[in-house]
Amino acid sequence: KYTKFSIFYYWINSLGQKTSIYSTSENVAIPSGKENKTATISYNHRIMPLENTSSTGTYYCEVKWNDIQKMGNGVFVLARGTGYIETSYEWEVLTTLTAIVAALSITATALLLSKRKAMSYAQQVLCPRRNKLNILRQKVETQPHSASPPPPPPVYD
């Protein structure tokens, strides 16, 4: 009674529509000495290739005997058009950081140069460098030895 059965493969899409994929009828001979015993037989079916992303759904296997019907739990398959692509932002991050550092470097250099030019211009207008050094020498020579030396010239000079 149970040696003749049919196997059905189908899938149910996201709309609940059932689509048949493959079916076959089997007639399995029972080996001698195995009568009236439970037996398990595995059947594999590959679904390849999936046509498109509309092939997404749950795939089932169902076996039918004369009066009995058994259905598997199903396997959910997600079909994508391009497959899984790992996104990498390494180059974007590196390029962005490089651009930011370059912009800050250029800005800092421009500010330092403009400040330096403004300082040297102010010194030339107010007090030429030679006169400033001569005044400092005169102060050092006229002060007693116990007095502290004059402060060093500013770093930006």
Side-chain angles (χ1 to χ4, degrees):
K1 177 178 179 180
Y2 298 108
T3 58
K4 294 180 183 180
F5 55 91
S6 297
I7 303 172
F8 300 92
Y9 294 96
Y10 61 91
W11 67 285
I12 298 176
N13 65 16
S14 60
L15 301 174
Q17 298 167 330
K18 183 177 177 179
T19 303
S20 178
I21 298 171
Y22 175 76
S23 64
T24 184
S25 294
E26 297 289 328
N27 188 3
V28 179
I30 300 174
S32 115
K34 299 285 185 175
E35 297 90 356
N36 296 322
K37 292 188 178 177
T38 301
T40 303
I41 301 173
S42 294
Y43 290 90
N44 293 324
H45 180 72
R46 291 184 183 222
I47 304 166
M48 294 188 52
L50 294 176
E51 288 124 25
N52 52 38
T53 56
S54 65
S55 298
T56 295
T58 305
Y59 289 73
Y60 294 93
C61 170
E62 187 175 346
V63 179
K64 291 182 182 179
W65 290 270
N66 292 335
D67 56 348
I68 300 173
Q69 178 176 324
K70 293 287 182 181
M71 186 173 86
N73 295 331
V75 175
F76 179 75
V77 175
L78 175 62
R80 292 188 176 186
T82 58
Y84 178 73
I85 298 172
E86 177 132 5
T87 55
S88 173
Y89 297 107
E90 292 175 13
W91 287 110
E92 289 86 352
V93 169
L94 183 62
T95 304
T96 303
L97 288 177
T98 303
I100 290 171
V101 169
L104 289 174
S105 297
I106 292 168
T107 304
T109 303
L111 287 172
L112 286 174
L113 289 175
S114 67
K115 187 173 183 178
R116 186 174 184 181
K117 285 182 182 178
M119 288 294 192
S120 65
Y121 178 75
Q123 285 180 351
Q124 288 175 1
V125 170
L126 298 177
C127 180
R129 189 176 176 118
R130 286 186 199 160
N131 292 344
K132 187 175 183 181
L133 289 175
N134 289 338
I135 292 169
L136 287 175
R137 281 189 198 139
Q138 289 173 1
K139 283 185 180 178
V140 170
E141 290 172 3
T142 58
Q143 289 179 353
H145 293 291
S146 62
S148 62
V155 176
Y156 54 79
D157 276 352

